[in-house]
Amino acid sequence: MARKIAILGGTGAEGSGLAYRLAKAGEYIMIGSRERARAQETARQLRERIGGTVQIDGTDNASAAGACDVAVLTVPFSGVVALLKELKTVWKPGTVVIDTTVPLAATVGGAGTRMLGVWQGSAAQQTRELLPASVSLAATFQNLGAESLAGDAPIDCDVLVCSDDENAKQVASELVSKIPGARPLNGGKLENARIVESLTALLIGLNMRYKVHGAGIRFTGLALK
Ligand SMILES: NC(=O)c1ccc[n+]([C@@H]2O[C@H](COP(=O)([O-])OP(=O)(O)OC[C@H]3O[C@@H](n4cnc5c(N)ncnc54)[C@H](OP(=O)(O)O)[C@@H]3O)[C@@H](O)[C@H]2O)c1
């Protein structure tokens, strides 16, 4: 049976972009929302856009989290704590959670080019604290903008994957590599998510200064194809 990927907050820009790319690559996607009807509508639109036998359903965040094998967290940083507390008892043991969250000051009305301080060190480390031990976590996609994901062009970006769990890192890297042009890179431990998250604020500033929408990162000198 195909693995199920829940995209929590998948009605938004980043989540629906990831849903689009991953469903197009053949993954079974469940859009999650605080409102089941909103998730169903996003799922309908994505099915219509992609066509064929694509598998995308929509439901509430708790149902999606409880039924999935992999969950991608795509809600604003300001909503993460309340959502993860609500989901604490619904996860199946062995679920892999992938955190895309960036603690931008914009999430509390500040600038998109500044970061909030997070006591744990990063949004991803905060997420780790709020998940049961039976659920593993990788942090990735923080530097991949929603506008690029929404289109069909290959994405000219390296995508860093940070985790303390090898399986979660592998699952997250595999999802990155399903997006044409995106190259997953082993970003090391989850604590490095702090660096990766802050690069997003820098990329937002580059987008503004160079009047573009898809500034991204490429690392050189690595012996990779
Ligand atoms: N946008 C980007 O280019 C980008 C790039 C990299 C990473 N990210 C990260 O991806 C996440 C989502 O970004 P986004 O731009 O897609 O955000 P968004 O559109 O503002 O929100 C995504 C979805 O989250 C849900 N949501 C909003 N407030 C919530 C709350 N307080 N509690 C629970 N759910 C809430 C909403 O869905 P429902 O109303 O349907 O529940 C909304 O459609 C953020 O953490 C961001 O840092 C974004």
Side-chain angles (χ1 to χ4, degrees), residues 9 11-15 33-34 38 74-77 79 100-102 141-142 144-146:
T11 55
E14 183 74 2
S33 165
R34 290 168 294 180
R38 209 158 37 234
T74 62
V75 302
F77 177 71
T100 73
T101 313
V102 181
F141 293 126
Q142 304 100 319
L144 209 46

mmCIF file of all heavy atoms in Angstrom, residues 9 11-15 33-34 38 74-77 79 100-102 141-142 144-146, ligand 1:
data_model
loop_
_atom_site.group_PDB
_atom_site.id
_atom_site.type_symbol
_atom_site.label_atom_id
_atom_site.label_comp_id
_atom_site.label_asym_id
_atom_site.label_seq_id
_atom_site.Cartn_x
_atom_site.Cartn_y
_atom_site.Cartn_z
ATOM 1 N N GLY A 9 -1.533 22.028 7.509
ATOM 2 C CA GLY A 9 -1.509 23.408 7.025
ATOM 3 C C GLY A 9 -1.335 23.438 5.511
ATOM 4 O O GLY A 9 -0.887 24.440 4.948
ATOM 5 N N THR A 11 -3.286 23.854 3.179
ATOM 6 C CA THR A 11 -4.100 24.808 2.413
ATOM 7 C C THR A 11 -3.310 26.077 2.101
ATOM 8 O O THR A 11 -3.756 26.900 1.312
ATOM 9 C CB THR A 11 -5.350 25.215 3.217
ATOM 10 O OG1 THR A 11 -4.900 25.703 4.485
ATOM 11 C CG2 THR A 11 -6.293 24.034 3.424
ATOM 12 N N GLY A 12 -2.164 26.257 2.751
ATOM 13 C CA GLY A 12 -1.375 27.483 2.587
ATOM 14 C C GLY A 12 -0.416 27.389 1.408
ATOM 15 O O GLY A 12 -0.384 26.399 0.672
ATOM 16 N N ALA A 13 0.373 28.449 1.257
ATOM 17 C CA ALA A 13 1.243 28.572 0.095
ATOM 18 C C ALA A 13 2.312 27.465 0.062
ATOM 19 O O ALA A 13 2.471 26.771 -0.944
ATOM 20 C CB ALA A 13 1.900 29.954 0.123
ATOM 21 N N GLU A 14 3.042 27.310 1.154
ATOM 22 C CA GLU A 14 4.137 26.334 1.161
ATOM 23 C C GLU A 14 3.593 24.900 1.096
ATOM 24 O O GLU A 14 4.075 24.074 0.323
ATOM 25 C CB GLU A 14 4.985 26.520 2.435
ATOM 26 C CG GLU A 14 6.203 25.626 2.540
ATOM 27 C CD GLU A 14 7.347 26.052 1.605
ATOM 28 O OE1 GLU A 14 7.210 27.069 0.898
ATOM 29 O OE2 GLU A 14 8.366 25.353 1.585
ATOM 30 N N GLY A 15 2.567 24.632 1.893
ATOM 31 C CA GLY A 15 2.024 23.270 1.952
ATOM 32 C C GLY A 15 1.394 22.839 0.647
ATOM 33 O O GLY A 15 1.614 21.709 0.184
ATOM 34 N N SER A 33 -5.968 20.609 7.537
ATOM 35 C CA SER A 33 -6.362 21.996 7.808
ATOM 36 C C SER A 33 -7.088 22.029 9.147
ATOM 37 O O SER A 33 -7.539 20.997 9.639
ATOM 38 C CB SER A 33 -7.303 22.479 6.693
ATOM 39 O OG SER A 33 -7.970 23.667 7.070
ATOM 40 N N ARG A 34 -7.236 23.240 9.704
ATOM 41 C CA ARG A 34 -8.095 23.355 10.893
ATOM 42 C C ARG A 34 -9.542 23.141 10.501
ATOM 43 O O ARG A 34 -10.376 22.835 11.330
ATOM 44 C CB ARG A 34 -7.908 24.742 11.534
ATOM 45 C CG ARG A 34 -6.542 24.910 12.190
ATOM 46 C CD ARG A 34 -6.271 26.344 12.560
ATOM 47 N NE ARG A 34 -6.145 27.185 11.384
ATOM 48 C CZ ARG A 34 -5.897 28.487 11.392
ATOM 49 N NH1 ARG A 34 -5.744 29.107 12.546
ATOM 50 N NH2 ARG A 34 -5.790 29.175 10.278
ATOM 51 N N ARG A 38 -11.972 23.167 4.063
ATOM 52 C CA ARG A 38 -10.925 23.927 3.375
ATOM 53 C C ARG A 38 -9.879 22.958 2.778
ATOM 54 O O ARG A 38 -9.413 23.139 1.663
ATOM 55 C CB ARG A 38 -10.280 24.902 4.360
ATOM 56 C CG ARG A 38 -9.751 26.115 3.700
ATOM 57 C CD ARG A 38 -9.559 27.331 4.566
ATOM 58 N NE ARG A 38 -9.105 27.157 5.915
ATOM 59 C CZ ARG A 38 -9.732 27.632 6.977
ATOM 60 N NH1 ARG A 38 -10.853 28.298 6.834
ATOM 61 N NH2 ARG A 38 -9.261 27.454 8.188
ATOM 62 N N THR A 74 3.521 22.475 7.851
ATOM 63 C CA THR A 74 3.605 23.728 7.074
ATOM 64 C C THR A 74 2.603 24.754 7.602
ATOM 65 O O THR A 74 1.829 25.329 6.838
ATOM 66 C CB THR A 74 3.363 23.493 5.559
ATOM 67 O OG1 THR A 74 2.030 22.982 5.368
ATOM 68 C CG2 THR A 74 4.356 22.525 4.970
ATOM 69 N N VAL A 75 2.604 24.964 8.917
ATOM 70 C CA VAL A 75 1.791 26.044 9.494
ATOM 71 C C VAL A 75 2.746 27.150 9.965
ATOM 72 O O VAL A 75 3.928 26.902 10.190
ATOM 73 C CB VAL A 75 0.891 25.559 10.662
ATOM 74 C CG1 VAL A 75 -0.030 24.443 10.218
ATOM 75 C CG2 VAL A 75 1.709 25.131 11.858
ATOM 76 N N PRO A 76 2.248 28.376 10.116
ATOM 77 C CA PRO A 76 3.133 29.446 10.597
ATOM 78 C C PRO A 76 3.695 29.113 11.989
ATOM 79 O O PRO A 76 3.024 28.451 12.797
ATOM 80 C CB PRO A 76 2.203 30.666 10.668
ATOM 81 C CG PRO A 76 1.055 30.346 9.773
ATOM 82 C CD PRO A 76 0.893 28.866 9.820
ATOM 83 N N PHE A 77 4.902 29.586 12.253
ATOM 84 C CA PHE A 77 5.573 29.316 13.535
ATOM 85 C C PHE A 77 4.660 29.650 14.718
ATOM 86 O O PHE A 77 4.623 28.925 15.710
ATOM 87 C CB PHE A 77 6.872 30.135 13.603
ATOM 88 C CG PHE A 77 7.598 29.988 14.911
ATOM 89 C CD1 PHE A 77 8.231 28.795 15.225
ATOM 90 C CD2 PHE A 77 7.638 31.032 15.818
ATOM 91 C CE1 PHE A 77 8.896 28.640 16.447
ATOM 92 C CE2 PHE A 77 8.300 30.893 17.026
ATOM 93 C CZ PHE A 77 8.932 29.696 17.343
ATOM 94 N N GLY A 79 1.651 29.212 15.097
ATOM 95 C CA GLY A 79 0.592 28.234 15.359
ATOM 96 C C GLY A 79 1.106 26.851 15.711
ATOM 97 O O GLY A 79 0.323 25.946 16.014
ATOM 98 N N THR A 100 9.079 22.253 8.230
ATOM 99 C CA THR A 100 9.519 23.278 7.270
ATOM 100 C C THR A 100 9.520 24.668 7.914
ATOM 101 O O THR A 100 9.783 25.664 7.247
ATOM 102 C CB THR A 100 8.553 23.351 6.060
ATOM 103 O OG1 THR A 100 7.328 23.970 6.473
ATOM 104 C CG2 THR A 100 8.251 21.985 5.492
ATOM 105 N N THR A 101 9.181 24.710 9.190
ATOM 106 C CA THR A 101 8.880 25.987 9.839
ATOM 107 C C THR A 101 10.091 26.902 10.000
ATOM 108 O O THR A 101 11.171 26.460 10.382
ATOM 109 C CB THR A 101 8.330 25.717 11.259
ATOM 110 O OG1 THR A 101 7.354 24.699 11.165
ATOM 111 C CG2 THR A 101 7.728 26.943 11.866
ATOM 112 N N VAL A 102 9.866 28.183 9.748
ATOM 113 C CA VAL A 102 10.901 29.193 9.971
ATOM 114 C C VAL A 102 10.341 30.215 10.969
ATOM 115 O O VAL A 102 9.273 30.774 10.733
ATOM 116 C CB VAL A 102 11.270 29.908 8.655
ATOM 117 C CG1 VAL A 102 12.360 30.931 8.899
ATOM 118 C CG2 VAL A 102 11.690 28.903 7.594
ATOM 119 N N PHE A 141 13.269 21.857 3.708
ATOM 120 C CA PHE A 141 12.400 22.696 2.872
ATOM 121 C C PHE A 141 12.313 24.152 3.356
ATOM 122 O O PHE A 141 11.597 24.938 2.745
ATOM 123 C CB PHE A 141 10.962 22.147 2.775
ATOM 124 C CG PHE A 141 10.842 20.843 2.029
ATOM 125 C CD1 PHE A 141 10.224 19.744 2.609
ATOM 126 C CD2 PHE A 141 11.330 20.725 0.737
ATOM 127 C CE1 PHE A 141 10.098 18.549 1.916
ATOM 128 C CE2 PHE A 141 11.206 19.519 0.028
ATOM 129 C CZ PHE A 141 10.581 18.433 0.632
ATOM 130 N N GLN A 142 13.024 24.525 4.443
ATOM 131 C CA GLN A 142 12.861 25.892 4.960
ATOM 132 C C GLN A 142 13.314 26.949 3.957
ATOM 133 O O GLN A 142 12.854 28.086 4.022
ATOM 134 C CB GLN A 142 13.671 26.098 6.256
ATOM 135 C CG GLN A 142 13.383 25.133 7.369
ATOM 136 C CD GLN A 142 14.438 24.050 7.412
ATOM 137 O OE1 GLN A 142 14.876 23.550 6.382
ATOM 138 N NE2 GLN A 142 14.833 23.653 8.595
ATOM 139 N N LEU A 144 13.117 26.652 0.618
ATOM 140 C CA LEU A 144 12.458 26.464 -0.684
ATOM 141 C C LEU A 144 11.161 27.256 -0.688
ATOM 142 O O LEU A 144 10.210 26.923 0.027
ATOM 143 C CB LEU A 144 12.194 24.964 -0.866
ATOM 144 C CG LEU A 144 12.157 24.407 -2.271
ATOM 145 C CD1 LEU A 144 13.308 24.892 -3.107
ATOM 146 C CD2 LEU A 144 12.155 22.885 -2.214
ATOM 147 N N GLY A 145 11.109 28.322 -1.491
ATOM 148 C CA GLY A 145 9.975 29.241 -1.451
ATOM 149 C C GLY A 145 8.726 28.680 -2.110
ATOM 150 O O GLY A 145 8.793 27.902 -3.066
ATOM 151 N N ALA A 146 7.574 29.117 -1.590
ATOM 152 C CA ALA A 146 6.289 28.638 -2.088
ATOM 153 C C ALA A 146 6.077 28.973 -3.558
ATOM 154 O O ALA A 146 5.494 28.186 -4.304
ATOM 155 C CB ALA A 146 5.173 29.241 -1.242
HETATM 156 N N1 LIG B 1 5.826 30.580 2.173
HETATM 157 C C1 LIG B 1 7.076 30.201 1.900
HETATM 158 O O1 LIG B 1 7.662 30.562 0.845
HETATM 159 C C2 LIG B 1 7.803 29.308 2.875
HETATM 160 C C3 LIG B 1 9.102 28.848 2.528
HETATM 161 C C4 LIG B 1 9.752 27.982 3.420
HETATM 162 C C5 LIG B 1 9.149 27.628 4.619
HETATM 163 N N2 LIG B 1 7.900 28.107 4.912
HETATM 164 C C6 LIG B 1 7.282 27.729 6.190
HETATM 165 O O2 LIG B 1 6.092 27.025 5.887
HETATM 166 C C7 LIG B 1 5.110 27.339 6.870
HETATM 167 C C8 LIG B 1 3.840 27.802 6.145
HETATM 168 O O3 LIG B 1 4.117 28.961 5.417
HETATM 169 P P1 LIG B 1 2.976 29.578 4.501
HETATM 170 O O4 LIG B 1 3.546 30.772 3.844
HETATM 171 O O5 LIG B 1 2.344 28.517 3.675
HETATM 172 O O6 LIG B 1 1.953 30.051 5.631
HETATM 173 P P2 LIG B 1 0.419 30.394 5.564
HETATM 174 O O7 LIG B 1 -0.081 30.299 4.156
HETATM 175 O O8 LIG B 1 0.228 31.678 6.313
HETATM 176 O O9 LIG B 1 -0.224 29.252 6.471
HETATM 177 C C9 LIG B 1 -0.301 27.909 6.066
HETATM 178 C C10 LIG B 1 -1.556 27.301 6.627
HETATM 179 O O10 LIG B 1 -1.434 27.152 8.032
HETATM 180 C C11 LIG B 1 -2.712 27.199 8.635
HETATM 181 N N3 LIG B 1 -2.637 28.103 9.778
HETATM 182 C C12 LIG B 1 -2.552 29.458 9.773
HETATM 183 N N4 LIG B 1 -2.467 29.930 11.034
HETATM 184 C C13 LIG B 1 -2.505 28.837 11.843
HETATM 185 C C14 LIG B 1 -2.469 28.662 13.249
HETATM 186 N N5 LIG B 1 -2.357 29.703 14.089
HETATM 187 N N6 LIG B 1 -2.539 27.399 13.735
HETATM 188 C C15 LIG B 1 -2.646 26.331 12.907
HETATM 189 N N7 LIG B 1 -2.702 26.444 11.563
HETATM 190 C C16 LIG B 1 -2.609 27.679 11.045
HETATM 191 C C17 LIG B 1 -3.690 27.708 7.573
HETATM 192 O O11 LIG B 1 -4.478 26.608 7.175
HETATM 193 P P3 LIG B 1 -5.990 26.384 7.679
HETATM 194 O O12 LIG B 1 -6.559 27.765 7.909
HETATM 195 O O13 LIG B 1 -6.598 25.705 6.505
HETATM 196 O O14 LIG B 1 -5.874 25.577 8.897
HETATM 197 C C18 LIG B 1 -2.811 28.145 6.429
HETATM 198 O O15 LIG B 1 -3.385 27.914 5.166
HETATM 199 C C19 LIG B 1 5.691 28.399 7.785
HETATM 200 O O16 LIG B 1 6.129 27.819 8.983
HETATM 201 C C20 LIG B 1 6.856 28.945 6.992
HETATM 202 O O17 LIG B 1 7.894 29.397 7.817
HETATM 203 C C21 LIG B 1 7.215 28.931 4.072
#
